Each structure stands twice: as C-alpha cells, then as structure tokens.
C-alpha cells in the first residue's frame, strides 16, 4: 500500500517519538523533545495529531509491534514448543542493553510510567502484557497437547511466572546497567523448561 505524504509524515513522527516516550516516559516527554526529534514545528506535529495523548498511544503501539514482530520471527523459526520457548528466552538475552526499541521494554516502561496516573497508557500496557502472556500460554498449551510437556503443567501460571521473571530481570539489569542478572534469569528459565516442562 502506497502511503500519502500526510500518512508518511504521521508515520515518521510516530517512529521518532516512540523511543523518546519509551526512554523518558509520558510526563517527561515535552513538545520540545518531539520538535527536536522530528524536525517539525509544533503546528506541523499537531497538524497530524490532535494531542500528545494520541502521539503517545500510537508511539506505544509502534514500539510494542516492533517487539512483537521481532519475537514472532524468532518463534516461527522453531517447530517445537521447547524450541519456541528457548527462542523467546534467547531473544531477551542482553535485552537491558540491546533492546529492540531504544529505552527497553515498552510494556515494562509504560506500566511503571503510567501506573494509576495515566489510565489510557496503563490500559495499553495491560493489553500488551496480556498479549505476551497469551503467546507464552499458547506455546505451553500446545506443548502439553502434543505430548512434549507434562500434562500436570498449568499453562497460564507458568506463562505468568516466565513473563514476570523476564520483565523483572530486565528491570534489575537496567538498574545496575549490567545484563548479567537478566541473562542468569534467562538461563534459569531455560533449565526449568528442560527439567520441569519436558516429559
């Protein structure tokens, strides 16, 4: 599909705004930041968006979709549930210092930034979390269904534990500016898949 000039401008604004919101958060991102990043005037930006809220929402969607796309590519290369879980864990190796979107995980960053103060972004982060949990749960459920994983596994619970460990590892490694903690957690999760999940 060929984009119009207006659509191209809007997309360029979103792409340049996404890492700023992801790094600085909603409240700390100023119009001056967006003007500097895009090279447009305030009128040029607001000629494409009604408000900062709209830019933030679309920037989050862009950032999350970028992560989802990269993850999907990694997962699709694997044919087994074990391989798919390992692919997800490998994807997050060094993620605190080498993220897909500058600033880190958009779900984690937005959840912390929005909390209860910015409900429209909190809702977006919540949906992003649910999508990631669904991906993990579906992979585990298929592993159980096709006799690869133990039937005693509770797929939803295991997905929550894995997601929480990954996101917690990212947060801890970002705070220390060292991916070692995250990478140790990822290796531990791989061991759990081999020792606890597999038949």
């Amino acid at each position: 599909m060929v984009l119009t000039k207006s659509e191209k401008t809007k997309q360029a604004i979103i792409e340049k705004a996404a890492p700023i919101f992801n790094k600085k958060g909603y409240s700390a991102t100023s119009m001056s930041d967006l003007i500097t990043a895009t090279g447009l005037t305030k009128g040029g930006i607001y000629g494409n968006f009604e408000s900062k809220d709209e830019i933030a929402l679309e920037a989050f969607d862009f950032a999350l979709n970028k992560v989802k796309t990269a993850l999907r590519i990694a997962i699709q290369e694997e044919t087994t549930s074990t391989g798919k879980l390992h692919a997800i864990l490998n994807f997050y190796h060094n993620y605190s210092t080498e993220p897909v979107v500058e600033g880190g995980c958009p779900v984690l960053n937005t959840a912390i930034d929005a909390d209860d103060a910015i409900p429209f972004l909190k809702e977006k982060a919540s949906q992003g979390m649910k999508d990631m949990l669904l991906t993990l749960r579906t992979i585990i459920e298929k592993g159980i269904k096709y006799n690869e994983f133990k039937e005693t596994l509770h797929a939803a619970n295991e997905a929550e534990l894995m997601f929480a460990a990954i996101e917690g590892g990212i947060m801890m490694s970002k705070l220390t500016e060292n991916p070692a903690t995250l990478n140790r957690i990822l290796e531990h999760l791989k061991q759990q898949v081999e020792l606890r999940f597999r038949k």
Side-chain angles (χ1 to χ4, degrees), residues 33-44:
D33 292 325
L34 300 178
I35 289 170
T36 300
T38 60
L40 298 172
T41 62
K42 184 176 180 180

Side-chain angles (χ1 to χ4, degrees), residues 144-181:
I144 295 169
K145 179 179 179 181
Y146 294 109
N147 211 31
E148 186 180 342
F149 294 157
K150 297 172 184 175
E151 61 274 5
T152 53
L153 285 177
H154 191 289
N157 288 354
E158 297 296 344
E160 287 177 351
L161 287 169
M162 188 170 285
F163 181 78
I166 293 169
E167 294 295 332
I170 293 172
M171 180 196 69
M172 292 170 71
S173 285
K174 280 193 74 175
L175 287 174
T176 60
E177 298 182 356
N178 184 343
T181 301

Side-chain angles (χ1 to χ4, degrees), residues 14-160:
I14 293 168
E15 290 179 12
K16 289 174 181 175
I20 299 172
F21 280 111
N22 200 39
K23 285 191 296 182
K24 298 185 71 172
Y26 175 82
S27 298
T29 297
S30 66
M31 181 52 62
S32 177
D33 292 325
L34 300 178
I35 289 170
T36 300
T38 60
L40 298 172
T41 62
K42 184 176 180 180
I45 294 172
Y46 280 134
N48 290 278
F49 297 92
E50 291 184 4
S51 65
K52 178 182 171 182
D53 293 1
E54 185 184 0
I55 302 171
L57 286 169
E58 295 206 28
F60 175 82
D61 284 341
F62 172 80
L64 184 60
N65 285 333
K66 197 168 180 181
V67 174
K68 283 182 176 179
T69 299
L71 259 175
R72 192 179 303 116
I73 291 169
I75 293 169
Q76 286 176 345
E77 291 180 357
E78 301 295 333
T79 57
T80 65
S81 293
T82 299
K84 290 179 187 297
L85 290 180
H86 276 281
I88 291 172
L89 297 172
N90 288 333
F91 172 84
Y92 284 104
H93 184 81
N94 287 340
Y95 198 87
S96 62
T97 54
E98 301 171 11
V100 172
V101 181
E102 192 176 348
C105 174
V107 172
L108 176 63
N109 291 347
T110 304
I112 293 170
D113 177 50
D115 193 22
D116 292 324
I118 314 171
F120 66 91
L121 280 177
K122 180 181 180 181
E123 184 180 340
K124 276 285 185 182
S126 176
Q127 187 57 56
M129 177 188 70
K130 289 174 184 175
D131 291 346
M132 301 296 277
L133 286 171
L134 178 60
T135 297
L136 287 166
R137 191 186 80 199
T138 301
I139 291 170
I140 296 169
E141 285 174 344
K142 285 184 178 178
I144 295 169
K145 179 179 179 181
Y146 294 109
N147 211 31
E148 186 180 342
F149 294 157
K150 297 172 184 175
E151 61 274 5
T152 53
L153 285 177
H154 191 289
N157 288 354
E158 297 296 344
E160 287 177 351

Side-chain angles (χ1 to χ4, degrees), residues 178-194:
N178 184 343
T181 301
L182 169 62
N183 293 341
R184 282 195 298 271
I185 290 170
L186 296 172
E187 287 304 314
H188 175 74
L189 290 172
K190 287 181 189 177
Q191 291 173 16
Q192 291 300 301
V193 170
E194 297 297 329

